[in-house]
Amino acid sequence: FRVVNYGQFYQAEYFKLLDQSKFEIYLSESESQGLAMFEAWVRGVPTFVWEKGVYESEGVRVSGKISAPFLEKISGSYFLDENDFILKFNEFINVKYEPREFVKANFTNKAAAEKYLDIYHDKKII
């Protein structure tokens, strides 16, 4: 295994590690954009994500899927704490995930344009 601290590595180095990886264990209190996970998913690497469930900063409290708001069953799974990690890890590594397909179906320019057109037509703007 390798530890990669976000912001303390070169992107090319991260990509090389992803190309050699079967999965990624993602530890973060919150994620606003999920770029590191998207980069993993694009390369077909599923993520096992710690979901703290609550994030507090400057008097603001946010709860829900804050560690990986875009994570779906096709791209990986969550664990809540150390005990949950132990319970779910073997299941996680034995599931056939398809994170690259998830990205292609939902986050490409084509997928975004199709969703935009669906919204456009649904609102009867034409």
Side-chain angles (χ1 to χ4, degrees):
F1 74 91
R2 302 281 182 173
V3 175
V4 177
N5 292 313
Y6 203 75
Q8 299 178 1
F9 62 91
Y10 292 104
Q11 188 178 47
E13 175 187 340
Y14 180 56
F15 290 171
K16 184 177 178 182
L17 289 172
L18 287 173
D19 291 340
Q20 300 168 7
S21 299
K22 293 181 181 178
F23 58 86
E24 177 178 75
I25 298 172
Y26 192 86
L27 305 171
S28 178
E29 288 189 357
S30 69
E31 178 57 68
S32 63
Q33 298 174 5
L35 296 179
M37 281 180 274
F38 274 97
E39 290 165 341
W41 298 338
V42 164
R43 286 169 172 72
V45 178
T47 53
F48 194 39
V49 178
W50 171 45
E51 179 52 74
K52 184 177 177 185
V54 175
Y55 179 75
E56 295 183 58
S57 177
E58 300 177 15
V60 176
R61 180 182 171 99
V62 179
S63 61
K65 289 173 55 173
I66 58 172
S67 296
F70 295 108
L71 182 67
E72 296 291 335
K73 291 179 184 179
I74 191 172
S75 55
S77 65
Y78 294 102
F79 65 93
L80 302 174
D81 55 29
E82 183 179 350
N83 291 330
D84 200 39
F85 180 95
I86 293 166
L87 289 171
K88 293 180 177 175
F89 183 71
N90 281 332
E91 178 183 339
F92 169 75
I93 62 172
N94 288 306
V95 170
K96 170 94 170 90
Y97 296 99
E98 296 184 2
R100 183 164 172 72
E101 295 305 313
F102 169 66
V103 171
K104 288 181 352 186
N106 294 285
F107 298 102
T108 62
N109 287 340
K110 179 181 178 186
E114 288 172 351
K115 288 177 186 176
Y116 175 78
L117 287 173
D118 288 345
I119 292 167
Y120 186 82
H121 291 294
D122 189 44
K123 300 276 187 196
K124 300 185 183 355
I125 296 172
I126 299 179

